[in-house]
Each structure stands twice: as C-alpha cells, then as structure tokens.
Amino acid sequence: MNGGEDRFSVLGPVRAWHGGTEVGLGSPQQRVVVAVLLLRAPHPVPAEELVEAVWGEDPPRSAVNQLRIYAHRLRRARARAAAPGTAPLIESAGSGYRLPLPPGALDATAFETAVATAHRLRRAEPQRAVAELEEALALWRGTALGDLPGDWAQAQRTRLEQARLDAVEARLRLRLELGRDEGAAAALAALAAGHPLDERFPELLMLALYRSGRQASALEVYARTRTLLSRELGVDPGPELRRMHQRILHADGGLLDAGGPEDRAAGAAATTPGGRPGPAEGRPSPAAAASATAPALPVPAQLPFDLPVFSGRHRELAELTALAEEGRAARAGTVLCVVAGSAGVGKTTFAVHAAHRLAAHYPDGRIHLDLHGFDGQESPLSPRRALRAVLDAFGVAADRVPGDLDAQAALYRSLLADRRVLLLLDNARDARQVRPLLPSAPGSLVLVTSRNQLSGLIVRDGARPLRLEALTGTEARALLVRRLGTARVDADPEATAAVVARGAGLPLALALIAARAAARRLASLAPIATELRELPTMLDALSDTDTSLDMRSVISWSYEALPPGTARMFRLFSLTPAPGCDPAALAALAALPVAAVRPLLAELAGAHLLDEPEPGRHTAHDLLREYAAEQLAAHEGEPERTAAFRRLLAHYLGTAYTAARTVAVNLPALSLHPEAAGAPVGDVGDVGDPRRAAAWLARECEALLGLVERAGATPGCERQTWQLAWSLMDHLQRAGRWDDQMAIQRTALAAALRSADRTGQAHAHRDLARACTQAGRLDEATGHLQRALGAFEELGDLTGQARSHGNLALVLTRRGEHAKALPHVHRAVELFEAAGDVLGQASALNNLGWTYANTGGPREALRYCRQALELLQDAGDRVAEAATWDSLGYIHHGLGDLSEAVRCYHRALALDRALGDGFNEAETLTHLGETRAAMGDEAGAREAWRRAVGLFDELDPGAAARVRERIAALGPVPAAVAAARTG
C-alpha cells in the first residue's frame, strides 16, 4: 500500500482511510458503489453499470437519483477526514463516476502487482518470488468484499478468490521446488479438502506426501480424487495429475530431488507460478504433453472466412490486441471482450478479422459459435446446445457428456482448464446465453458480439466493452476503395460523397452499394447515387434476397426483440429532430412521465437502436430512423402520428419560449399556443438562470430550426410556427446567424399569412426585418418594418410599435442617417413609457443615447445612457445592460475620457461573456481596440482586435475582414512582441 493520503481495501470488508482516519462508507449499497469504482479505476463507470451492480436486474425507478445521493454522501464522508480544498473522492464522468487512485492505494492492485513480480522472478530468483507471494497473500484480511450483498459482489468474490488460490498454489509449488517441505502436506491437505475439484492441490499434496515417505497415502489421494471427478463430473483426472500418479507408481527418484534438473525439467519448466502450463515457447501443447494413457484431443480451427477486403477499424483492432496481450502477460483469467454495436455496423466481420489476427496465440483451439441471438431464421442457441457443440469440437464422446446443464458446464471448464483457446461467440442475445461458455482458467480469449450492451457480462464477469461506431467519412470511402478500386471511387467525387452519406457509415450498407456497382461494372458511382436519391427510402436501395444481408430485415431482428412499450418509443423516435433530443422531449412525444421514459431509452441504447453520444442526448442514424418511420406508419394512423408530433412541438415551443425570455428578460410576453402553454418545460433552469437557458438554446438550436420548417408544413400548426421562430430570434442574433434568421422568419410569415394571424404577421415582419438589417438588406428591412408597424398599430400593441420604431432607427443608423433616426428613437421611448414597459424603455433610452453620440450630442448621449443604466441595474436585464455599458464606452471615447471608456467596455465584456453573447462581445472588443489605439497602446489594440477577429470569423466574416484591416494598419508586430509570443 502507498504512503499517501488515501488507502482502500477490498481483500476483506470494503474499507477506506484518508491519512490515519478511517472514512465511513455507509450502507452496503453505498459500499458496492465504492467497490465497483475501485475495481474499475481509473476508468469511468457508466451509471447503468453501477445500477446493475447495486440492485441487479430489477432496480428501483429512483436508482439513478439514489446513485447521486450515494456519491454525495461519500464525498462528504471523505471531506470530513480530509483537509479543506482536497480534491473530491469521487469524480463525475459523463453519466457515471470515476475514482482516481494514487499508485498502490488499493490492496487488490498491490496484490496483483506482487503476484506479477513473483511470476517474473520465479526462475531467476525463486526465493524472492516466494517472498513476493507471501507479501501478496498477507494483504488479505478475510473474504474479499465479504460485507457486500448481490450478484455483482459474488462474481467479484469468485474472481478474487481464484486469484488468491492461484497465488497460494504458486507459493506452495515454489516452496516444494526449493525443498522447503515443512508443513506443506498439512496445508495442501486442507486446500484439497476445501477445493476438491481443483486438481492442482491433489497433485502437489501427492508430491509432498511422497517426499515425506508416504507413498501409499499419496496414491490414496489420487484414488479419492479420481472417484470424486468421475462421480461429480463424469471425467477422468487431467494429464498433470495422471502424470504425477504414474511417476509415484514407478517410484520416480526425480520426485525426491527438489533441486534436481530432472524435476525442474519435468515440473517447473512446464508450469507457470500459478501451476498451469506456461508460455508456448519450449513446451508442447497440453494435449501433446499428456501421457500415452490420455490420447491428445483434437485442436478445433473453426474460425469463419476472413474478409480479404476488410478495411479500417485500426483503433478498435489496436485496443483488442492490447487487451489480449495484457491478459496473456498477466495470466489472471480468461480475457472477455464484448463487441457491441447497431445492426449492420460490422461486428461479426470485425470479430472474425480480429480472431484471425490473434489466432496464433491460442494453439489449443479456435472455436466459433453463432448463438443466433438476433436471427430472423433460427431461434437463439440454448446454453446446452452451445456447450455440446464445443464438447463435440474437442472430441468428447457422447456417452461422457452428462445430462445436467451444470455438470456439462463443469465438464467444459475442466476440459479447457489447461488449454489456451479462442472462443468467438457471435450474435449473443443476453449474458445468460454466454455465461456457461466462459472458461475459468487463464490464458484464453472470448470474443462476444451482440447488438445489446450485455452489461451483465461487464458488471458481473469483468468483460471489457468494445463498441463499434459507424464509420467516419474517410473510413467509409476506404471501404469502397477496397471493394471497387480507386479509379471508380475517384471518378465522380460528388457521387461518392453522396453514396457515403446515404450509407450512414454502416459497413453492411456500403458493402451492398459496392456489390451493386461491381455487378453492373459501373465506371463511377454516379448512377448509384442517382438511384439512391430517387428511391423512396434508403432501405429500398439496400434490399437483398438474402435476409442476412437485407438492411430492413437485419434491423427488424433487433426491433422485434423489443417489449411493446420500448418498440413504441422507437417508432415515435422517427418524429424527433435529426440532431437528437433529450428525455424530456421524448417524454412529451410519448405522453409519458420522464421517469417512465428513461428505462425505455436505456433499453433502446442497449439494443443499439439509439445512440447516446453525450449524457442525456439521444440520436439514431438515418437508416434506423427510416425503419422506425415505416413501423410508425404501420402501427399508428395519421391522427395518432399528428398528435404525437404536436406534443413534441408543444414541448419545444414552451421550453424555447421560456429559455428566450430567461436570457433576454426584456422580451415581451406572447399569448402562447394553448398546447405549449400547458406542456411541461424542459431543463432550462429557473427564470434567474440565463446561462443554463442560453446553453439549452445553443444545444437545441439545430433541432429547433428543423422543427420550424416541419411545423410550417403541418396544417394546423401555423401559430406554433411563428411563435417558435420568434423564440429563436434573439439567440440567432447573438450567434450572428443571419441566414438562419431570415429562413425561419420567412417560414413564420408564410404560416401567419396562411392562417390570417395578424399578430403573427406583425412579429414575423419585424423579426424578418431585424435579420435583413444585420445582413445588410436595408431596403427589404424597411419594407417589412413598415408593414409590422401598421399591423401593431391596428392591434393596438404599444410595445410592438415601440420596437418597430427602434428597428427603423437602426436601419437609418446603418445608412448613416443618424439625424433621421432620432425621431423614431424618441417615439420608441414614449411608447414604451406609455405601455409601462420599463425594460423596453431602458433599452430605448440606451439607443437614444447611442444615436445622440453619433449626431454630435455627447452630453445628451451620456444623460440618456445613464438613465438607461439606472433602470436596467434595478430590472436585471443583463443583455441591455451590456449594450448600455458599450454605448457609455463609445460616448466617453468621444468625450476624450479614454480610461473611463476602457472601464465601461470591460463592464460590457464581462456581461457578454457571462451570457455567451459572442457577437456583441466581438463588437465591444472592436470598440475597445479603437480606444486602446487612441491611447497609444498599440499592443492592447492589437490584442483586442485579434480576439474580435477570432469571434467574428465564425459569426460575421465580413466584420472579421474589416477588423483585420485595422490590425494591418498598425503595421508589423514589433520584433520584441513577436519573440515573446513565440518564446
């Protein structure tokens, strides 16, 4: 153990210390969380794995919330023992948690390190190897995880206990080799009695008894063991035990010479410190090493054909290769890897290719079993049939196979106990189908492919997950090149790009497309790309008479395995925006509580029918969406589909409206569509949390833009259309997305005109004018503003009139006609005051001050902006407050008070950054640079303009170019400054 602050123990009851103080770990469930994080450290553990470890396969609905409570309690318990400012014990990591461990802080890790050191030293320094093993075993303080409940804890106890027994056996074997036999017989007798089916201990007990002159007792041990194995498992003793029996029967003198070369050659060189056959170098396979009375078993080589045009997956292959190498080096148990992913992503092809690359390291057999977990033709393979298939492959006679499943599994494990095999278990449905097929001895590799996550294998059996994602564009193109050649792929780059996009990154889809191109001897992919565009769905393009290659059939096998409620959720998902959505939106779509939707989403993610690229955000590739849409049309009528879409739209409108008015508190209230007014609002925080609301708008912006277009094309959703566009306007303004603004406002205006909604027309005209103004289309903006003003006057909407006058003033200001703008701004102030709109009045006063600053009236400008600031600081409108500080900076610059101008600009910048308002931050940085330049601070001006360019490059390239011209006008960077930057 380390001498640092934190120490943990799992080799006994689970305990933790900080310094010299023990940290209370709370309830048994809370300690399970700690144990999982410790044994998976330093890797993060997803919440679903922790839930299964704590509660098994039937967790409470509050499981995830309960995990948060446990994590909070554990952090608090550690904080009580730690100094202030100490980093937390448990860190959040995505949807789960991780526990960073300093070296040597966990006794299980220290145990494994000492055992590995002993294995490394056993030949060159056996005395030191014994000492390392004794030190490792001294770390145990009872039954591992002895105070924890549940299946996960039991599985880990079994694994850790096996590692302890391996270390005990290695220590005793080394002691016998060194001639230190005192007490060995008694210890081995106890071990053999406690583990009667583990042949290592009878073998060593026989040697110890023989050396002490008790040949008959040694032979009795063999007879008892053979009878027990025959009765319990229906098998004979293994080759090592039979070999020891033969040597004792023949009074082999080499057994009496602990240090003799014959014994070393016969025993030590043939075993690792754990007593199992060692690396392949210099030794025959276990079957060849058996005596003449035990004929060698066949070595199955069943791997399917390796695809010669396999391409890509370099990262995944490297990860799997490293995992296999790590397992062979540590010899700590079978390496188990679950290769998971959605239908058509290439799991089997990858696993077969990887198995062929690794096959040479598993000389005792390469087994392939198709478990038919997801198969439209055959039912899933039962564990009994799967075990029988493996036993048949190894030549076990039918009359030796017991009828009981547990006895079959025991025979299977005994058969593979001293063999290094590779098992490829393809297309598994669940962990129960796989678990009986796992060998218990170290040195083997099991690859499992599945459309499900098989979290049970990960949590209970220590499997390592390897998720296959859709291919990137580069990888997809490389796949086409391998199948069709560079000439055809490069002949029409645009067509190739279209094919890659339509293939959704799925190797099966791309392979079907490539096969079609190859069969028709096409010179380029242009005809294929045209066909894909013309077909109603991509699934029609990927049909095939072989159902195992037909994309629709392949997806259906996953879909048809879903429970009814989960299948309905998948169908409804086809209505969601393409960028994906969160559980709150999906709950609205399905008319269910969020708590009821989360398990359905977890099940769909586990089946790889949905992705969760970031915690709480769910997506699906286009082919899955197409299939879901087909199933939705088949199961739900048009009224049900429309009702579901309206629920989704109501959720997004209600949430976007709330978020918009949280960020920009001066926005007027709308009479929201009744469906949206009554819909649950998503997670945008409270009214006083504009940062969270702005983050929601940024995250959902693409989805909202798409929804405006879809709503605009849906009869009966005209009001929702213009109100959703209205809710997006200020966010798009801050992001500088003028094209998107104009597009959705044109859709909003068309919807309002179609429904003769005068209020919607007024808002859409005004918001479209705002977008046109920012895009420099001033004549068009003026026309829309005049129509907006007329509509607001007709409606008697004073606030709408005031805002339209303010926008007209901005258009005139952009034309350089500041004097003509003044009457409009004065009128805006009067109208806001008449309407009792304090926030609108404050913003108008700021605009009035800005306009006076540009007409040569700096004193009036200062007075009006100060009035605005007084109103805003009390009202809490930080957007308008930032704009007012920027105006004050501009005014003070004009008055020659440059230091005060800098101070005002910094106040504006702090507010802009807090709001995430990149566009206005860039504007203020531009003004700050001008003031710095006027002060003679060339370096400060250059730095402000450089930062402005960094923001404008993304938001307004034209503005970025203008600021670059100002930087260029300063001349080259002084040599000293350049050296400091590069040094």
Side-chain angles (χ1 to χ4, degrees), residues 734-811:
R734 288 190 297 275
R737 298 177 63 168
W738 325 129
D739 290 343
D740 287 330
Q741 285 179 306
M742 286 188 285
I744 65 168
Q745 292 306 329
R746 292 190 199 286
T747 301
L749 181 57
L753 289 169
R754 190 168 62 247
S755 59
D757 185 336
R758 239 2 220 150
T759 301
Q761 292 169 30
H763 283 292
H765 275 304
R766 190 182 84 84
D767 287 342
L768 180 53
R770 292 175 65 194
C772 290
T773 301
Q774 295 294 350
R777 303 167 71 159
L778 300 183
D779 290 342
E780 187 178 349
T782 300
H784 284 298
L785 285 171
Q786 288 170 346
R787 288 189 283 276
L789 186 57
F792 282 127
E793 287 172 350
E794 178 187 322
L795 293 165
D797 186 338
L798 297 180
T799 297
Q801 295 173 50
R803 290 175 181 275
S804 298
H805 276 293
N807 296 135
L808 280 166
L810 178 60
V811 171

Side-chain angles (χ1 to χ4, degrees), residues 310-649:
F310 182 91
S311 66
R313 302 295 189 197
H314 303 297
R315 178 188 60 79
E316 293 88 348
L317 284 168
E319 184 177 339
L320 179 56
T321 301
L323 177 63
E325 289 175 353
E326 177 185 325
R328 292 196 302 273
R331 297 189 61 78
T334 291
V335 174
L336 173 59
C337 180
V338 175
V339 180
S342 64
V345 82
K347 300 178 293 295
T348 297
T349 303
F350 168 80
V352 168
H353 182 73
H356 277 281
R357 286 184 49 164
L358 297 169
H361 299 289
Y362 304 96
D364 299 324
R366 279 82 63 193
I367 298 290
H368 170 258
L369 282 178
D370 186 348
L371 300 180
H372 298 292
F374 299 89
D375 193 321
Q377 306 299 317
E378 296 191 39
S379 57
L381 195 68
S382 68
R384 187 185 303 276
R385 289 172 59 203
L387 283 168
R388 181 59 189 267
V390 180
L391 293 174
D392 286 346
F394 279 104
V396 177
D399 59 359
R400 292 189 58 203
V401 178
D404 179 69
L405 177 61
D406 290 338
Q408 283 185 9
L411 172 60
Y412 167 80
R413 289 192 296 272
S414 297
L415 182 72
L416 300 187
D418 289 330
R419 291 177 173 82
R420 287 180 296 148
V421 298
L422 187 156
L423 275 79
L424 173 50
L425 306 179
D426 194 19
N427 199 11
R429 191 179 190 88
D430 53 37
R432 288 186 293 270
Q433 199 182 16
V434 171
R435 198 165 280 127
L437 297 166
L438 300 179
S440 60
S444 293
L445 171 66
V446 180
L447 294 180
V448 183
T449 73
S450 180
R451 298 186 187 187
N452 286 336
Q453 290 176 338
L454 302 186
S455 57
L457 289 181
I458 297 168
V459 173
R460 290 182 55 188
D461 303 285
R464 296 283 286 273
L466 181 61
R467 177 184 168 90
L468 294 188
E469 305 287 356
L471 299 176
T472 65
T474 301
E475 291 171 330
R477 185 186 175 282
L479 183 150
L480 292 174
V481 168
R482 289 295 299 271
R483 289 176 173 268
L484 297 172
T486 304
R488 274 194 278 190
V489 173
D490 287 349
D492 190 331
E494 186 176 340
T496 297
V499 166
V500 166
R502 293 289 276 160
L506 297 181
L508 176 56
L510 293 165
L512 287 167
I513 293 170
R516 183 171 299 182
R520 292 163 57 182
R521 301 175 182 269
L522 297 175
S524 80
L525 290 171
I528 298 291
T530 301
E531 291 173 12
L532 295 181
R533 283 191 294 268
E534 292 174 349
L535 283 168
T537 72
M538 185 65 181
L539 292 173
D540 291 329
L542 301 176
S543 61
D544 196 279
T545 54
D546 183 346
T547 57
S548 68
L549 299 177
D550 179 78
M551 202 68 216
R552 188 178 277 109
S553 297
V554 169
I555 295 173
S556 74
W557 301 336
S558 292
Y559 168 75
E560 290 167 2
L562 299 174
T566 311
R568 175 177 178 263
M569 187 76 257
F570 175 67
R571 295 193 297 268
L572 289 172
F573 194 84
S574 64
L575 298 173
T576 62
C581 54
D582 60 19
L586 290 166
L589 177 67
L592 292 171
V594 175
V597 164
R598 292 188 190 279
L600 305 181
L601 298 177
E603 190 165 5
L604 288 170
H608 296 285
L609 290 170
L610 292 186
D611 286 327
E612 192 175 4
E614 58 184 90
R617 186 148 201 89
H618 300 274
T619 64
H621 62 67
D622 290 346
L623 295 178
L624 288 172
R625 282 182 173 278
E626 286 186 11
Y627 184 83
E630 289 180 355
Q631 296 305 311
L632 184 67
H635 287 81
E636 277 85 20
E638 179 62 31
E640 290 81 7
R641 299 198 298 273
T642 301
F645 175 69
R646 290 178 72 105
R647 289 194 300 268
L648 182 73
L649 182 60

Side-chain angles (χ1 to χ4, degrees), residues 203-225:
E203 178 199 350
L204 291 177
L205 176 57
M206 290 168 66
L207 176 61
L209 290 170
Y210 181 72
R211 284 185 176 173
S212 63
R214 300 164 64 187
Q215 182 180 17
S217 297
L219 294 174
E220 285 177 10
V221 169
Y222 178 80
R224 287 197 306 269
T225 303

